[in-house]
Amino acid sequence: MSTPPLRPRTQLFADRDPTATSCEVLSEPLAQVMTLLGKRWTGLVWSTLMQGPVFYSDLKRAIPGISDRILGERLTELGELNLLTRTVLDEGPIRVRYELTASGAGIRPALLELARWAEEHLDRQQETDVLSPRR
């Protein structure tokens, strides 16, 4: 299956400086998403939220090794970017449910492509090491 072409206005690299001799600067949108996904735990939190609405405790259990502080920070950051919604349910013990917005869920095709690439090109042991708690 071939990768669909990028929309004409989407570029991987910024317009090339005619005086540049080697590497090109990433386009602003690509730099933004790579910076966000490159933050420790953000990609795992975002990917886990792809399963649908989930409670905080379920997220914590699904991502071994993540601390409460970091999980809270990542959820807050994704919420501030309007990539997820936070709903407080006041039924018995208060519970908080997180769910991706349409914008947050829009990264699904890109994540699926990254997963396919990883299956083909990365060593399975590396995957296990990444998901294991640090000692």
Side-chain angles (χ1 to χ4, degrees):
M1 180 162 114
S2 66
T3 304
L6 295 175
R7 289 179 286 166
R9 65 185 187 93
T10 303
Q11 296 178 188
L12 293 179
F13 300 99
D15 292 330
R16 183 156 173 80
D17 176 355
T19 62
T21 57
S22 59
C23 290
E24 297 180 34
V25 176
L26 290 178
S27 69
E28 187 67 24
L30 184 58
Q32 286 177 310
V33 75
M34 294 307 281
T35 298
L36 183 59
L37 284 172
K39 252 186 170 174
R40 182 142 174 85
W41 299 108
T42 300
L44 288 174
V45 171
W46 202 348
S47 299
T48 303
L49 287 164
M50 289 287 168
Q51 298 173 51
V54 65
F55 292 102
Y56 182 93
S57 58
D58 297 325
L59 272 172
K60 180 90 166 97
R61 205 171 15 261
I63 307 170
I66 192 169
S67 70
D68 285 321
R69 181 179 66 83
I70 294 296
L71 179 55
E73 286 176 10
R74 295 306 174 258
L75 290 169
T76 298
E77 183 176 26
L78 292 170
E80 288 172 351
L81 293 168
N82 296 315
L83 300 173
L84 66 79
T85 59
R86 178 182 187 273
T87 305
V88 177
L89 303 173
D90 192 11
E91 51 189 45
I94 293 176
R95 296 180 65 181
V96 180
R97 182 178 63 210
Y98 296 91
E99 183 173 9
L100 291 177
T101 62
S103 180
I107 198 168
R108 177 184 287 278
L111 291 178
L112 289 171
E113 283 304 313
L114 285 171
R116 284 185 193 106
W117 178 87
E119 285 176 351
E120 187 175 330
H121 298 285
L122 296 181
D123 180 357
R124 286 277 191 210
Q125 184 58 42
Q126 288 176 325
E127 178 184 329
T128 303
D129 293 344
V130 169
L131 295 175
S132 297
R134 291 205 167 156
R135 294 179 175 100

